[in-house]
């Protein structure tokens, strides 16, 4: 009897790597297709009205039109050079920096105080939160019209009460030295309640066991605030600072209603300067160049803030 040769064992043949990749990609795409379809309308509007508009601004900044009906002429970076050399633009940038610092710091400080005072949830704090958030719901134009009556010379509420203690009544919106600070009051009044919501959310993330341990160790309210609460709120601070900076550049309704950039360009902000170039002077190229410069500055500031936030979260 002869021994038969053992049969060869079947060898599993694996599919080519490329085929596996294609199969996995197709499977994942089919699984994610409903999500992509739900996002599609938002992506279309985002592409048309955000990135499309940015592309149009970039193109317009490279051209110039002498008159509204004259043909476009390619000028390269001349519009940007003209904007940078314009004293009105420089003044608007300085005004905007003062306005951003003068509104962001008080708004964020008040918002933090409100959040710390109203952190515990009960009927009274809920009512106070709603009252502080109410200015956010009022449109900026309506709020500006309201403050116009408050700032009216001789008959406004400010002059009625504060004027009793002053020998000379100030012209809140007509004096170049104080007009910018007067419109800052509106922004602080509107934004403090809005930023308070972010700090309330940030306080919810502070570990309770750490707070209790600090309390048992004898740490007072100031020590808990200094060494536990404020370090835990650093990401919230960074986010709110970015939001406050964007608001300082993009909110200009009160300038339209109250001062029109005056007196003597004392309240002329960057966005109002862009409006003047585009609508009043019909210089689309210079308006687009100013928009590009503003957009570049905001994107750089936002990227720097979020990078700092990411570095803090990742740790050393």
């Amino acid at each position: 009897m002869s021994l038969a040769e053992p049969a060869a064992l079947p060898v599993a043949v694996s599919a080519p790597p490329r085929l596996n990749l294609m199969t996995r990609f197709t499977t994942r795409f089919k699984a994610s297709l409903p999500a992509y379809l739900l996002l599609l309308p938002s992506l279309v509007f985002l592409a048309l009205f955000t990135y499309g508009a940015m592309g149009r601004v970039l193109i317009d900044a490279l051209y110039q039109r002498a008159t509204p009906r004259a043909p476009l002429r390619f000028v390269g970076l001349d519009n940007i050079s003209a904007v940078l050399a314009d004293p009105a633009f420089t003044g608007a940038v300085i005004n905007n920096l003062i306005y951003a610092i003068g509104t962001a710091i008080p708004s964020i400080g008040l918002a933090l105080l409100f959040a710390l005072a109203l952190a515990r949830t009960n009927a009274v704090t809920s009512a106070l939160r709603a009252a502080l958030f109410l200015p956010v719901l009022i449109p900026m134009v309506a709020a500006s019209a309201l403050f116009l009556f408050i700032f009216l010379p001789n008959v406004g509420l400010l002059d009625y009460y504060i004027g009793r203690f002053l020998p000379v009544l100030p012209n809140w919106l007509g004096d170049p030295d104080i007009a910018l600070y007067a419109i800052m009051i509106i922004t602080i009044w509107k934004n403090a309640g809005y930023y308070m919501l972010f700090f309330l959310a940030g306080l919810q993330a502070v570990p309770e066991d750490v707070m209790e341990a600090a309390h048992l160790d004898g740490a007072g309210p100031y020590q808990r605030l200094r060494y536990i609460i404020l370090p835990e709120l650093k990401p919230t601070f960074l986010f709110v600072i970015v939001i406050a900076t964007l608001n300082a550049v993009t909110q200009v309704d009160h300038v339209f209603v109250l001062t029109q950039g005056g007196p003597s360009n004392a309240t002329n902000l960057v966005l109002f300067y862009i409006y003047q170039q585009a609508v009043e002077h019909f210089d689309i190229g210079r308006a687009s160049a100013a928009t590009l410069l503003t957009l570049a500055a905001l994107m750089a500031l936002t990227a720097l803030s979020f990078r700092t936030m990411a570095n803090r979260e990742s740790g050393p």
Side-chain angles (χ1 to χ4, degrees):
M1 181 176 180
S2 64
L3 295 176
E5 294 183 359
L9 294 175
V11 178
V13 179
S14 59
R18 171 174 286 184
L19 184 58
N20 286 339
L21 286 176
M22 289 298 296
T23 303
R24 281 188 290 178
F25 174 77
T26 305
T27 304
R28 290 181 180 178
F29 180 76
K30 287 180 179 178
S32 305
L33 186 59
Y36 289 131
L37 291 177
L38 290 174
L39 290 174
L40 184 60
S42 299
L43 292 176
V44 170
F45 283 106
L46 187 68
L48 287 177
F49 297 107
T50 300
Y51 299 109
M54 290 171 60
R56 179 58 188 271
V57 166
L58 177 61
I59 294 173
D60 288 342
L62 303 176
Y63 289 87
Q64 192 176 41
R65 194 193 299 267
T67 62
R69 295 186 178 181
L72 286 174
R73 183 169 59 90
F74 182 78
V75 295
L77 301 179
D78 287 355
N79 285 323
I80 294 179
S81 301
V83 168
L84 292 175
D86 189 357
F89 179 74
T90 306
V93 172
I94 294 174
N95 287 340
N96 229 137
L97 288 175
I98 297 173
Y99 176 80
I101 296 172
T103 56
I105 294 176
S107 300
I108 294 173
L110 285 175
L112 179 61
L113 289 177
F114 293 156
L116 292 173
L118 306 177
R120 296 183 181 277
T121 302
N122 53 48
V124 176
T125 57
S126 298
L128 291 175
R129 289 177 190 174
L132 292 172
F133 187 74
L134 183 61
V136 182
L137 304 178
I138 301 175
M140 192 52 137
V141 174
S144 302
L146 175 65
F147 272 83
L148 182 62
F149 291 103
I150 295 175
F151 289 139
L152 276 177
N154 299 320
V155 295
L157 288 178
L158 274 181
D159 283 359
Y160 182 79
Y161 288 105
I162 299 178
R164 300 177 180 180
F165 308 101
L166 298 176
V168 179
L169 294 176
N171 189 346
W172 301 99
L173 299 177
D175 189 340
D177 294 329
I178 59 176
L180 184 62
Y181 302 100
I183 65 173
M184 287 181 188
I185 297 174
I186 307 173
T187 306
I188 295 170
W189 173 72
K190 271 189 66 66
N191 291 344
Y194 178 53
Y195 302 151
M196 176 191 68
L197 296 183
F198 296 106
F199 284 113
L200 284 173
L203 289 175
Q204 300 297 321
V206 177
E208 292 186 3
D209 54 342
V210 177
M211 293 292 290
E212 292 176 359
H215 183 72
L216 292 175
D217 289 341
Y222 173 76
Q223 292 171 314
R224 294 198 296 270
L225 174 67
R226 171 69 178 81
Y227 297 105
I228 299 177
I229 296 177
L230 291 182
E232 290 289 338
L233 288 178
K234 281 183 179 177
T236 307
F237 271 107
L238 286 173
F239 181 76
V240 172
I241 288 172
V242 172
I243 297 295
T245 306
L246 294 177
N247 284 337
V249 178
T250 57
Q251 289 182 349
V252 75
D253 309 42
H254 47 337
V255 176
F256 278 94
V257 175
L258 295 175
T259 61
Q260 291 287 316
S264 303
N265 287 329
T267 60
N268 191 8
L269 304 180
V270 171
L271 191 56
F272 191 76
Y273 171 85
I274 295 171
Y275 161 79
Q276 287 179 317
Q277 299 303 318
V279 179
E280 296 181 0
H281 304 156
F282 203 76
D283 193 339
I284 303 299
R286 185 173 290 198
S288 301
T291 304
L292 274 184
L293 292 172
T294 307
L295 188 62
L298 289 177
M299 290 179 68
L301 179 63
T302 304
L304 178 63
S305 301
F306 280 108
R307 183 174 181 180
T308 304
M309 189 186 307
N311 290 337
R312 288 183 182 279
E313 290 180 351
S314 61

